[in-house]
Each structure stands twice: as structure tokens, then as C-alpha cells.
Amino acid sequence: MNTLPLYRQLANHYLDAIRSGTLKTGERFPSIRLMMEKHAVSLSTAVQVCRELEGQGVLEARPRSGNYIRQPEPLPHPLPPAPQDVDAYVGIHQQVSSVLKASQRATIKVNFANPYCAAQLYPLKTLQDHMVKALRQNPQLLGTTAPTSGNLELRNILARRALTSKTHLNAEKIVITNGATEALNLALRAVTQPGDTVAVESPTFHGLLQILESLNLRVREVPATADYGINLFALEQLLRDPEPIRALIVMPNLQNPLGSIMPDSHKARLVQLCAEHATVLIEDDTYGDLVDTEQPLSTLKYWDHSDNLIYCASLNKTLAPGMRLGWISAGRWHDRVEMLKHSQSRGCEALSQLAVSAFMKTPSYERYLRRLRKILTQQRQQMRTAILRHFPQDTCVTEPRGGTLLWVELPPGFSSMRLFHEGLKVGIQILPGDIFSNGSGFGHYLRIACGAPFTPKIEEAVATLGQLLKNQA
Amino acid sequence: MNTLPLYRQLANHYLDAIRSGTLKTGERFPSIRLMMEKHAVSLSTAVQVCRELEGQGVLEARPRSGNYIRQPEPLPHPLPPAPQDVDAYVGIHQQVSSVLKASQRATIKVNFANPYCAAQLYPLKTLQDHMVKALRQNPQLLGTTAPTSGNLELRNILARRALTSKTHLNAEKIVITNGATEALNLALRAVTQPGDTVAVESPTFHGLLQILESLNLRVREVPATADYGINLFALEQLLRDPEPIRALIVMPNLQNPLGSIMPDSHKARLVQLCAEHATVLIEDDTYGDLVDTEQPLSTLKYWDHSDNLIYCASLNKTLAPGMRLGWISAGRWHDRVEMLKHSQSRGCEALSQLAVSAFMKTPSYERYLRRLRKILTQQRQQMRTAILRHFPQDTCVTEPRGGTLLWVELPPGFSSMRLFHEGLKVGIQILPGDIFSNGSGFGHYLRIACGAPFTPKIEEAVATLGQLLKNQA
């Protein structure tokens, strides 16, 4: 504990007091002044303690009244009701499907739903050249089936790169997948049975809710916040429930949609909690490489010493969305995942893997990533400023440390689903908060992506959205 | 009925008599001579009637005694026993997985398990050139996500080609998949729930048994024979069971492993039967294009007028196994299949689709297919001759009208599983009959593929297998 900063030691101290019942729900929390006196800490440390506890969801600030203890409830969200006529049921997750379908039918001029970077930000020419070279060098490539687990050289490169984020992956136990989407499908299919319960962060990205419903899994949602990600206290409560939680899916670095990054101490504790409760931890590291830092953050996998974790990641967002390259490192479930991959879609096409390997081997790859991160940081700032300028007063926007996603909280009363439909009519696509949860708590949130360079056209689209919102009022 | 050939009208007549109990199990069937007299038909027609009824499994020829009525039982095969410790269970279908794993570990010199053609038989150079051209023409290709359903031009080409086998597919309702494997997964996930029962041909290809187990589906097997494919009489019995059969998967043209082709009358009757019993028919047309004929055979889809069928196919065997190109046309389940595809793996990479479209548009494609079929016909004959020469006396080998697969029946007492393991030790891979069924009826069968040009090395490998078998005796 001595290596923890002072504020976190104190926060843990109070967490214990709340957990053990010494401080009870609804009671007033010691004031900043009291803490400064009792613990001989500075004002800023005392404030940090409160923030930490707020982030954990156990403290609630009431204006002009102080902080109060809160018992954060895990949000119980049963499976959406099963349709009466199975044959007539179209969508996999009706709400998500209907939003996707509506988007497909519309003519989109400005797409704020797309989480990818603009095509010109990717090293397309280089990748193309590597592809052509790979074709020339392997004349039999298209005539032979690819191995189920994927190209071994690429798996070696991925394993070596993971070392920079202190993550040890065994190349032999990596399986290349059709994006992180297939990786998550395989992870879930490997460790769950239909009807099992799986926990996710709330909010979480809509694609995951689709996957869970399509695999007949029950979902429990655990609150997460933009600062620290998943609320560990709420998670612990949930894991103590009699209903077993078979698996938990977490995005520790740049959570989608929150953009949150879990502090190392949280990562360590999360891994430990899951191991204690025999809940398999599934890590989705899709956005990790986009964190704007020279020092890669640790993964959950780094903290896992009991082989209780399945690691999933993807190159789709960082390198080339036109190549469906994800991967999974499933530890003790590797053989099973490999066989599931074989039975679900066989090995992925080899060409993209060869081209990407050739590029990732060169120093250009890290240079390219550094540049991409800088560009995105600027785009996020510009987009954030535009939203705050044009959207209704008291709109809040996250300030993530990387990636392409902003999570926008409108003042209560506004409807992002209404904005979504009105936006489609004028060719502007956003994603409404409702599809990021099976519950109804995110009706006034929306996700806005800023993977494209900020232009007057984009500013105008943001202004149009702002106007549509003001018409709602 | 008047459009049916005479022998089939007569066969149907007798089928009715057997079904209604007028002719009973174990009774002697009217002799050829009697039929010629009673029905005023030729010898060859009378013989054809008997063959047809044998094909349907209701007639059994006893040497020097005549034909006897047989009550063909559907083979009931419950799900293989669930493992005690779910985490410790590695394979998806333990028996199939262990055979695949053993093959992976071995050093294979001669591969008779691989159903693909030898790489040099595919138009690799042409496809490569089309790929390079597609890359040059679409500089943003790798930087943008592909549509979930796939490239519309390819879907149009596939729909137009299907018309030659009298099959009407709506291009808008085709979804491009990662091979037929993913297509079958999607079809099953669209129409079944875990725990449902699905019927398959017996024997059927091992990959399908893996898929079914991995999706938690129960399997019933319906006997099939090399001449007419699935036994319709046995199927009808099964469909009358109180246990509902949610779906039936059939390969009507060049069944794997039997190589059987269903007569049109059987196809029509099969479609009708399934519609009557609300059993969804899933057609796997993977090998259809390899039938050695200038007149494409009809598909089951052609006979389906009640939108009760899902059509799956693939270019993997016919064009380039290094491209994972399959497709599914799911009729009224299209929207659901599309959303499942989205949630399982997103849209397939675009490049292969563009290259294949460019090739399939040209007359070269049909020319190439004609040539390929001729080559395969020769390879099948050579391999068949070699097997009959080197294998124990009384070995039977199918004589399919296309494709790369021979189904070999050893005399009773021989074990193809033993041959499989002994073969691996000397670098020769075959597939043992046991993995083509959940039951135990195929222990003396094996599948031998002949996609590679017949060489002295291959003849030698067949001789080695023959010697290993003779050592078993």
C-alpha cells in the first residue's frame, strides 16, 4: 500500500469504512476541512479523496450541502423481452438493430457515428504496396487455405509489441480473428453457456450488447464513469450476489463510449476481484494503441497472474478498417477458442496479415502511430469546442486522453434518440445514448466521433445538431 | 404426376403401399417378372423401380432370394455426452477436434484429407492480377469498412449465375460470408434456439457436426446413400416424430462425403416434406459447380415455393481456397441473418470480392470451370482405380459425378481410425469415417480426396495405405 499516492490510501481507507458499514448510506461524508485536520493533508489531497470516492460511485455531491454516502446499485438489466414469434423477430437486439437499419436507409452526409479515422489518416498507400508485394512473393497464396490461428509471423509481431505495454502474450496462443467483434464472440462462446449471466460496463458500446443477446446471454450492467471507468465498488456488490457472473467484459484503456482509462490500482484490483469470484475477465483493448502517450499503459492482462483473463484486440481502428484484423489470446481456453474459430469461420484470409506484418516490422509503424495520435488529439479538441459552442448550455463533453470518441451529456429533458432521427433527415448521423445500455439511463447522452479532420462542413453539422436540440427545448 | 418418368410413378405407387402398410416390413417384394407382367413395363423399367426403392432405403436385395421390404429407421444420435468440467473441455465436438489436432501435429507428406483442388488448378495468376488492379482502382479501399452484406456487384453476379441452375436469388438478399462455414453458422443461428433439434444426412461432413455441437443443437441423423442422397422415407418417419425437427441441412448436389446427387423428384419431394412439417430446409450447395455436366442441376431452392429454405454456397472449392468467399440467401430470414453477420464478424473484406467479381464477369470463368471439371473427372478415375488396386478385396469406392471426394467402404472388420493414425505416422492423411457421424456406423469407411494431379507419389501413398490395411487383417 505504501506505493499508492496518499490520496488513494485515504480513499481506500474510507472505502473500507463504507463497505464495513461504519459509514452508512445517506450519511454525510466528513467535510474537506475535517479531513485536512484529521489526516493532516493538504486541501488538494482532501479534494482528490472526494473525487476518487465520487468516481467509485460511493459519494454523491449535493450542491451547498456537502458529500453524502451512496450505495451504488449495480443496474439490473434482464434480457430484453423475448419476441412472441421467433421467426418474425428480425434484429439481434431490436433497439440497436433498428438504429443501425435506420442509418442504412438514410443518406448520410456527415457521419459522427463512425468510430474510425478518416481514410486519409491511415497509411493506405504503404499497406497497398505491401499487399502487392506479398501477392508477388507468394504465388500460391490464393490457392491454399490459411491456418486457423492465423499467420505466425504476425502473431509474433503482436506478441512482441504487447511487451511494450508490459503484456506477455504467447504468440503460439494468439488466434487472428475477423476484427475484435469476432474475438469477443469467440471469448464469450468459449467460457459461457446460453443463459449464463455476463457483466458489462454501463454505458458500453452497442455492438457488445448485440453480441450478448445473439448468444442468448443475460446481461448485468455495472456503472462506469469517464474518469476511472468501471465502478469497482458496484462491481464487488454485484459479484457478491448469489447469481453467478460467468464473465465480465471491460475496456480498461479508452472505454467505448466513455473514453475512460482505469488507473493501475483499479486494474490490479479488478483482476483480483474477478479471480476471487471465478468470473472470467474478458479484456477488450481495441483502442489501447490510440492513448495519447509515449508510455503505453498497462493492460488488465499484465495484472492477471491466475490465467483468468481473455485478451481481445484489433488493428481496425489504428491501422486499416478495410482489413478485418483482430486477435484473441485466450490463455487456458486457447485450444477451445481455436476450435471454435475453426467451426465458426475457419482461418482468416492470409493476404492482409502478410501486408500488415511487413508494415509493423518497420519503425514506420510507431512513427505513424505517434503522428496519428497527435492529429486525433487536435481533432478531439476542435470537436469538443464546437459542441460546447453550439449545443445547449450545460452540455457536458468528455475529454478523453486518446481515440476518436466523445461522450456528450445533454441537460436533462433533451432526447438524443429524437436528435438521431432528426439528424438522419438532414444527413447527419450521431449515435443516441439509448443503444449503449439495455436500461433507459442514457436518453440524454450521445456519442460523437471525430475521426475526420475538422472542417467548416463539420462545424456546420455540429451547429445544425445544436439548432435541432434548441428546437427540442 | 404425369410428368414423372414411368419408373418413378411406379416407385411412388409402391412407396405408398409400403407407407400405408399394404406391403409390410420383412415381406418379399414383387419380382421383376411379376412387375413386368402386371404393369406392362419393360425389364429396364422394372429394374429401375427396384433401384429407386433401394435408394429410398425401403427395399433390401438378398442374394439369390429377391427383394424384401425394409423399414428404414432414422438413426437417433443424441448430443455427445457433455463433459463434466466445462472449462476443461477443449474441443468443439471432441472426436472431430481430436482428429483435427492429431493432423496438425503430424508432418503430412501426402494429404488425402484436403477437399480442395491442388493450387495449380486454380486461376491464381488471373485472380492476383485482378486483386492488384482492384487495389490500384480503389485507393481508399483498405481505409473504409466494407458493407455488412458484401459487395453488391458480386451479389448481382452470383444471383445471375444462379439462374443457370434455375435458382432465383435476389441479389439484395444475399449476404457474403467467410466461406460456407460461416453461412451455415448464420443459417442455424437465425432459425434455431440452443437445445433445438436439427436433422442432417448420415454420413455428413465433420465440420457440420462441429458447428451443431458448438451451437448447442441436438442432432438427428437421416441415412443417405451414394446414389440418391438422403433417404426420404426415413426422413418422413423422423418428421412424424413428436419431437419437432427445427431444421434440416442437406447437400443435394455432390453430398460430402457421399458424392450423391438427388434426382429432381427427390428434391421436389424433400422441399414439400419440410414445408409440411415446418422444418426449415438449409441447402448447402458448396460443390454444385463441380458437377461434371454442361447443364447445371437444379437446386433445392428452385423447388421451394413457400420461402422455407436458406441457401448457402461457397467459392472456396471452385475458385480459390485462399479467399474465404461464401454466401447465404436466407429469404424471409434475411434481415436477421444480416444482423447476425454484423454482430458475429461485420462485413467481409472487400478486396477478394472485387477481384472475384472482375473474374466472374468474364467468359473465362465458365471456360475455367469446364476445364477444371474435366481434370477432376480424370483424377477421380485414377484415384479410384488405384484404391481398388491396392486396398483389400471387396473394398467399395463411390463413383461421384463430380468433385474431389471419394467415399471408401472397407470390408467389415477394418478400422479406418486405426488407418488414420498409422497413416499420420508415415505422413499420409486420410479422414476416418467415424468423424462423419455422431454414431458408430462408419468405422470401416474413409474419405479420400483427389484434388491433386495423380502422380507416382500418390499411387505409392495409396499402396502404402493398402499395405497398412492388409497388416490389420
Side-chain angles (χ1 to χ4, degrees):
Chain A
M1 294 289 279
N2 293 351
T3 61
L4 283 181
L6 186 57
Y7 80 92
R8 205 179 301 284
Q9 291 183 37
L10 266 179
N12 283 345
H13 164 73
Y14 279 108
L15 262 182
D16 286 344
I18 295 167
R19 278 181 202 159
S20 61
T22 311
L23 290 169
K24 290 188 182 54
T25 309
E27 279 184 7
R28 193 159 185 270
F29 190 73
S31 69
I32 299 283
R33 183 176 306 266
L34 193 67
M35 277 206 287
M36 286 167 67
E37 283 174 21
K38 269 177 66 176
H39 303 297
V41 295
S42 68
L43 172 65
S44 88
T45 300
V47 169
Q48 271 184 303
V49 171
C50 291
R51 265 201 208 140
E52 167 79 6
L53 293 172
E54 266 184 74
Q56 297 261 6
V58 295
L59 218 59
E60 182 185 19
R62 298 190 193 158
R64 279 179 299 275
S65 166
N67 293 310
Y68 287 79
I69 311 291
R70 212 178 113 183
Q71 192 77 342
E73 294 273 1
L75 310 175
H77 288 308
L79 212 58
Q84 291 306 304
D85 176 0
V86 172
D87 278 352
Y89 174 68
V90 165
I92 300 310
H93 204 293
Q94 196 72 57
Q95 193 182 30
V96 174
S97 298
S98 65
V99 163
L100 294 177
K101 282 270 165 196
S103 309
Q104 276 178 15
R105 280 191 299 266
T107 308
I108 307 295
K109 287 178 234 158
V110 180
N111 189 335
F112 293 140
N114 178 357
Y116 302 98
C117 304
Q120 70 260 37
L121 300 185
Y122 293 115
L124 303 184
K125 181 72 180 63
T126 311
L127 289 173
Q128 265 196 22
D129 291 345
H130 283 300
M131 272 198 158
V132 173
K133 216 178 291 173
L135 277 170
R136 303 283 185 228
Q137 282 168 354
N138 302 274
Q140 308 251 304
L141 192 70
L142 303 178
T144 42
T145 54
T148 301
S149 288
N151 178 283
L152 191 54
E153 188 185 12
L154 175 59
R155 286 147 66 200
N156 275 317
I157 292 171
L158 294 172
R160 263 200 307 280
R161 271 209 89 237
L163 290 175
T164 62
S165 50
K166 303 193 283 185
T167 305
H168 184 72
L169 305 178
N170 179 347
E172 301 278 338
K173 297 208 165 181
I174 289 175
V175 176
I176 304 294
T177 58
N178 289 296
T181 298
E182 187 175 51
L184 289 169
N185 269 276
L186 294 173
L188 286 165
R189 293 185 65 193
V191 301
T192 66
Q193 293 288 311
D196 281 355
T197 301
V198 171
V200 300
E201 296 157 294
S202 185
T204 195
F205 76 106
H206 50 94
L208 182 56
L209 297 175
Q210 271 195 317
I211 293 172
L212 290 162
E213 188 182 318
S214 78
L215 295 177
N216 295 287
L217 295 168
R218 301 180 70 83
V219 181
R220 297 290 297 263
E221 298 187 19
V222 183
T225 50
D227 41 9
Y228 297 119
I230 191 166
N231 182 312
L232 293 182
F233 189 61
L235 174 66
E236 193 166 356
Q237 299 277 104
L238 177 64
L239 293 180
R240 281 202 193 128
D241 260 18
E243 180 195 6
I245 305 295
R246 181 68 189 138
L248 166 70
I249 304 171
V250 170
M251 303 183 79
N253 298 325
L254 294 181
Q255 201 262 7
N256 177 355
L258 291 171
S260 53
I261 290 178
M262 291 178 72
D264 273 356
S265 59
H266 283 220
K267 287 174 180 162
R269 177 79 186 122
L270 174 63
V271 168
Q272 190 192 350
L273 268 177
C274 286
E276 278 167 19
H277 291 86
T279 295
V280 181
L281 185 52
I282 300 176
E283 172 169 25
D284 178 359
D285 195 25
T286 297
Y287 289 89
D289 270 337
L290 291 183
V291 177
D292 194 16
T293 169
E294 289 300 310
Q295 241 103 53
L297 304 180
S298 74
T299 59
L300 295 176
K301 172 80 178 161
Y302 167 71
W303 300 95
D304 169 50
H305 306 297
S306 51
D307 199 0
N308 184 50
L309 182 145
I310 299 183
Y311 177 87
C312 302
S314 157
L315 291 169
N316 274 135
K317 307 292 191 294
T318 43
L319 193 50
M323 295 173 160
R324 298 286 310 132
L325 286 183
W327 68 100
I328 180 170
S329 168
R332 62 187 160 118
W333 294 281
H334 165 75
D335 285 356
R336 197 149 157 212
V337 162
E338 189 185 22
M339 214 38 81
L340 273 169
K341 168 70 174 150
H342 183 78
S343 106
Q344 179 165 303
S345 62
R346 302 282 189 272
C348 293
E349 289 187 16
L351 183 58
S352 300
Q353 301 178 53
L354 290 175
V356 162
S357 299
F359 178 50
M360 288 181 79
K361 270 197 298 209
T362 66
S364 315
Y365 181 58
E366 294 299 339
R367 267 203 306 277
Y368 149 73
L369 271 185
R370 266 198 300 274
R371 190 171 156 272
L372 180 66
R373 286 188 209 114
K374 276 216 189 78
I375 295 173
L376 292 182
T377 297
Q378 200 195 357
Q379 289 176 189
R380 284 195 310 276
Q381 278 163 1
Q382 291 169 310
M383 179 64 93
R384 196 167 178 277
T385 307
I387 293 172
L388 290 173
R389 183 181 310 133
H390 296 290
F391 275 33
Q393 214 186 338
D394 295 331
T395 292
C396 297
V397 186
T398 52
E399 211 170 347
R401 281 171 52 202
T404 59
L405 304 177
L406 299 177
W407 184 238
V408 181
E409 180 183 4
L410 302 168
F414 286 96
S415 158
S416 64
M417 189 60 89
R418 200 175 136 189
L419 180 66
F420 165 73
H421 286 294
E422 290 171 346
L424 283 189
K425 282 187 208 151
V426 292
I428 305 172
Q429 188 184 0
I430 55 121
L431 284 184
D434 278 326
I435 65 171
F436 291 83
S437 163
N438 287 337
S440 54
F442 299 105
H444 61 297
Y445 288 79
L446 59 145
R447 198 189 77 180
I448 290 202
C450 49
F454 195 82
T455 58
K457 185 181 164 200
I458 286 187
E459 170 107 38
E460 200 190 309
V462 174
T464 304
L465 290 175
Q467 195 51 54
L468 289 173
L469 282 171
K470 282 165 195 159
N471 297 347
Q472 278 191 21
Chain B
M1 294 289 278
N2 293 353
T3 60
L4 281 182
L6 186 58
Y7 80 91
R8 205 177 302 283
Q9 293 183 34
L10 266 178
N12 283 345
H13 164 73
Y14 279 108
L15 262 180
D16 286 344
I18 295 167
R19 279 180 202 159
S20 62
T22 311
L23 289 170
K24 290 189 181 57
T25 308
E27 277 184 9
R28 194 159 183 267
F29 190 74
S31 70
I32 300 284
R33 183 176 306 264
L34 194 67
M35 277 205 287
M36 289 166 66
E37 283 173 21
K38 270 176 66 176
H39 303 296
V41 296
S42 69
L43 172 65
S44 87
T45 301
V47 169
Q48 271 183 302
V49 170
C50 291
R51 264 201 210 139
E52 166 79 5
L53 293 172
E54 266 184 73
Q56 298 260 5
V58 296
L59 219 59
E60 182 184 20
R62 298 191 193 156
R64 279 180 298 276
S65 166
N67 293 310
Y68 287 80
I69 311 292
R70 211 179 115 185
Q71 193 77 343
E73 295 273 3
L75 309 176
H77 287 311
L79 213 58
Q84 291 306 305
D85 176 1
V86 172
D87 279 351
Y89 174 67
V90 165
I92 300 309
H93 204 295
Q94 196 71 58
Q95 193 181 30
V96 173
S97 297
S98 64
V99 164
L100 294 177
K101 282 271 166 195
S103 308
Q104 277 178 14
R105 280 190 300 264
T107 308
I108 307 296
K109 286 176 235 158
V110 181
N111 190 333
F112 293 139
N114 179 356
Y116 302 98
C117 304
Q120 69 262 36
L121 301 184
Y122 294 115
L124 303 184
K125 181 71 181 60
T126 311
L127 289 173
Q128 265 197 21
D129 293 345
H130 283 300
M131 272 198 157
V132 172
K133 215 178 291 172
L135 278 170
R136 303 283 185 231
Q137 282 168 356
N138 302 273
Q140 307 249 306
L141 192 70
L142 304 178
T144 41
T145 53
T148 301
S149 288
N151 178 284
L152 190 54
E153 186 185 16
L154 176 59
R155 287 147 66 200
N156 275 317
I157 292 172
L158 294 172
R160 262 200 309 278
R161 271 209 90 236
L163 291 175
T164 62
S165 49
K166 303 193 284 184
T167 305
H168 184 72
L169 305 178
N170 178 348
E172 302 277 339
K173 295 208 167 182
I174 288 177
V175 176
I176 304 294
T177 58
N178 289 297
T181 297
E182 187 175 52
L184 289 170
N185 269 277
L186 294 173
L188 285 165
R189 293 184 64 192
V191 302
T192 67
Q193 293 287 312
D196 280 355
T197 301
V198 170
V200 300
E201 297 157 294
S202 185
T204 194
F205 75 107
H206 48 95
L208 182 55
L209 298 175
Q210 271 195 316
I211 292 172
L212 290 162
E213 188 182 316
S214 78
L215 295 177
N216 295 288
L217 296 168
R218 301 181 69 83
V219 181
R220 296 290 298 261
E221 298 187 21
V222 184
T225 50
D227 40 9
Y228 298 119
I230 191 166
N231 183 313
L232 293 181
F233 189 61
L235 174 66
E236 193 166 357
Q237 299 276 105
L238 177 64
L239 293 179
R240 280 199 194 131
D241 261 19
E243 179 194 5
I245 304 293
R246 181 67 189 137
L248 166 70
I249 304 171
V250 170
M251 303 184 80
N253 298 325
L254 294 181
Q255 201 264 5
N256 177 355
L258 291 169
S260 53
I261 290 177
M262 291 178 71
D264 273 357
S265 60
H266 283 219
K267 287 174 181 163
R269 177 78 186 125
L270 174 63
V271 167
Q272 190 193 350
L273 268 176
C274 286
E276 278 167 19
H277 290 86
T279 295
V280 181
L281 185 52
I282 299 175
E283 172 169 25
D284 178 359
D285 195 23
T286 298
Y287 290 89
D289 269 338
L290 293 183
V291 177
D292 195 16
T293 169
E294 290 298 310
Q295 242 102 53
L297 304 181
S298 75
T299 59
L300 295 176
K301 171 81 178 160
Y302 168 72
W303 300 96
D304 169 50
H305 306 297
S306 52
D307 199 0
N308 184 50
L309 182 145
I310 298 183
Y311 176 87
C312 303
S314 157
L315 291 168
N316 275 136
K317 307 293 192 296
T318 43
L319 193 50
M323 295 172 161
R324 299 286 310 133
L325 287 183
W327 69 99
I328 180 169
S329 169
R332 61 186 162 119
W333 295 281
H334 165 75
D335 285 356
R336 196 149 156 212
V337 162
E338 190 186 21
M339 214 40 81
L340 274 168
K341 168 71 173 145
H342 183 78
S343 105
Q344 179 165 302
S345 63
R346 303 282 190 272
C348 293
E349 289 187 15
L351 183 58
S352 300
Q353 300 178 54
L354 291 174
V356 163
S357 298
F359 179 50
M360 288 180 79
K361 272 197 296 211
T362 66
S364 316
Y365 180 59
E366 294 298 339
R367 268 204 304 275
Y368 149 74
L369 272 185
R370 267 198 299 275
R371 191 172 155 270
L372 180 66
R373 287 188 208 114
K374 277 217 190 78
I375 295 173
L376 292 183
T377 297
Q378 200 195 359
Q379 289 177 189
R380 284 195 309 277
Q381 278 163 0
Q382 291 169 312
M383 180 65 93
R384 195 167 179 277
T385 308
I387 293 171
L388 290 173
R389 183 182 310 134
H390 296 291
F391 275 34
Q393 214 185 339
D394 296 329
T395 293
C396 297
V397 186
T398 52
E399 212 170 346
R401 283 170 54 201
T404 60
L405 304 177
L406 299 177
W407 184 239
V408 181
E409 181 182 5
L410 301 168
F414 286 96
S415 158
S416 64
M417 189 59 89
R418 200 175 135 191
L419 180 65
F420 165 72
H421 286 293
E422 291 171 345
L424 284 189
K425 283 188 208 149
V426 294
I428 305 171
Q429 189 186 0
I430 55 122
L431 284 184
D434 279 327
I435 64 171
F436 291 83
S437 163
N438 288 337
S440 53
F442 299 103
H444 62 296
Y445 288 79
L446 60 145
R447 197 190 77 180
I448 290 202
C450 49
F454 196 81
T455 58
K457 185 182 166 199
I458 286 186
E459 171 106 37
E460 199 189 309
V462 175
T464 304
L465 290 175
Q467 194 51 55
L468 288 172
L469 282 171
K470 281 165 196 161
N471 297 346
Q472 276 191 23

